[in-house]
Amino acid sequence: MLSEQAFFEILCDETRRRMLGLLRREGELCVCELYHALDLAQPKVSRHLSVMREAGILSMRRNGTWIYYRINSQIPAWCDSILAQLADVWMGSPRQQQDAARLTGMSNRPARCCA
């Protein structure tokens, strides 16, 4: 169960908020899409994803060599409500818009066959 403490610790970190904003917008992204969109090193992105997955805010699936992350559909309703409210803020954020533009411009994005 995702605790209040863990949830707000996740939201305190800008990189994690950026990731959550992209995941909220896109639904599901692979690690390579996230580090491309965020313009960060893969180990840093993976470390943040691991923290959020261990806390229970993200779920993942493997498809061959690709690992896809999404916001866990089993998070408590109060967490989902907060993320929904933040989605409005994220849509107006210049940083989130830059991340989304980098993601949109990414060539060779992995194809989704079974989301």
Side-chain angles (χ1 to χ4, degrees), residues 1-8 55 78-79:
M1 178 64 106
L2 180 60
S3 73
E4 176 184 343
Q5 181 74 27
F7 182 72
F8 286 108
W78 63 268
C79 294

Side-chain angles (χ1 to χ4, degrees), residues 34-113:
L34 284 164
Y35 70 75
H36 181 86
L38 299 170
D39 196 28
L40 295 172
Q42 182 270 327
K44 183 173 184 172
V45 170
S46 292
R47 185 172 52 252
H48 285 291
L49 289 169
S50 176
V51 168
M52 290 191 286
R53 186 175 44 84
E54 288 172 10
I57 198 166
L58 296 183
S59 60
M60 62 173 263
R61 73 175 177 90
R62 184 179 295 273
N63 183 14
T65 59
W66 302 104
I67 298 176
Y68 295 92
Y69 286 87
R70 64 179 35 216
I71 295 173
N72 187 347
S73 62
Q74 302 299 312
I75 61 172
W78 63 268
C79 294
D80 192 51
S81 177
I82 291 170
L83 292 176
Q85 292 293 316
L86 285 172
D88 293 337
V89 174
W90 290 330
M91 288 186 70
S93 163
R95 189 83 185 250
Q96 285 284 334
Q97 291 171 1
Q98 289 174 340
D99 293 344
R102 273 193 298 272
L103 180 61
T104 300
M106 180 182 177
S107 60
N108 71 345
R109 284 180 74 180
R112 302 293 190 282
C113 68

